[in-house]
Every structure is written in C-alpha cells, then in structure tokens.
C-alpha cells in the first residue's frame, strides 16, 4: 500500500506543479492532451535540463507525504485512545 501512496503523492506533486506553475487546468487534458503530456514527461526524459521543475515537484510530493503521515498518526492515535 505504501508503494501506491508514494506513486499517488508523486503524481500529485507533479500535478500541483503543473497547475500552479505551468497554469494547466484539468480540462486541458481533454483539450490539449499532447501539450499537457509533453510538459509532464519532458522533465522526466531530460532531468538535468529540468532541475527546478523536478525539485519543486519533489517538494510538493514531500508536503503531500507529510500530510498523509500526519493524518495516519492522528487517525491511529485517536483509535488507540478509543480502545482504552
């Protein structure tokens, strides 16, 4: 399950970068799929030429993972208190 969480967080981090920095909207996937795909895959194919986008996506991914870990800690912490 953690593999899914890491993959979803990575894609979410990339999505946040594409939405906030590149200004893509969700409907642009339907209107201009090739351009959106090129912007999504471009940094992965040439990572040395796209360090800032990859770094920013990594930061967004880390924030998503930290938020998820905090949610899990709060959920399991509350559950343990109920069992007592």
């Amino acid at each position: 399950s953690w593999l899914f969480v890491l993959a979803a967080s990575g894609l979410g981090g990339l999505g946040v970068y594409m939405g906030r920095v590149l200004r893509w909207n969700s409907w642009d996937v339907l209107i201009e799929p090739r351009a959106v795909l090129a912007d999504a895959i471009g940094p992965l194919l040439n990572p040395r030429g796209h360090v800032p986008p990859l770094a920013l996506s990594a930061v967004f991914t880390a924030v998503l993972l930290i938020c998820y870990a905090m949610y899990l800690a709060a959920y399991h912490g509350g559950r343990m208190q109920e069992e007592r």
Side-chain angles (χ1 to χ4, degrees):
S1 65
W2 276 103
L3 185 61
F4 176 77
V5 170
L6 290 172
S9 297
L11 289 173
L14 180 63
V16 170
Y17 166 77
M18 291 180 68
R20 298 299 298 168
V21 177
L22 300 179
R23 307 302 292 169
W24 286 112
N25 292 307
S26 56
W27 59 80
D28 288 327
V29 173
L30 300 173
I31 297 171
E32 300 181 56
R34 288 185 181 166
V36 173
L37 191 61
D39 280 348
I41 294 179
L44 300 176
L45 295 177
N46 182 13
R48 289 184 185 213
H50 296 91
V51 174
L54 290 174
L56 196 54
S57 294
V59 168
F60 288 135
T61 299
V63 168
L64 290 173
L65 285 171
I66 290 168
C67 290
Y68 182 69
M70 289 173 49
Y71 165 75
L72 281 181
Y75 176 75
H76 289 298
R79 230 172 122 195
M80 292 177 78
Q81 289 178 358
E82 289 176 4
E83 293 175 1
R84 291 182 190 171

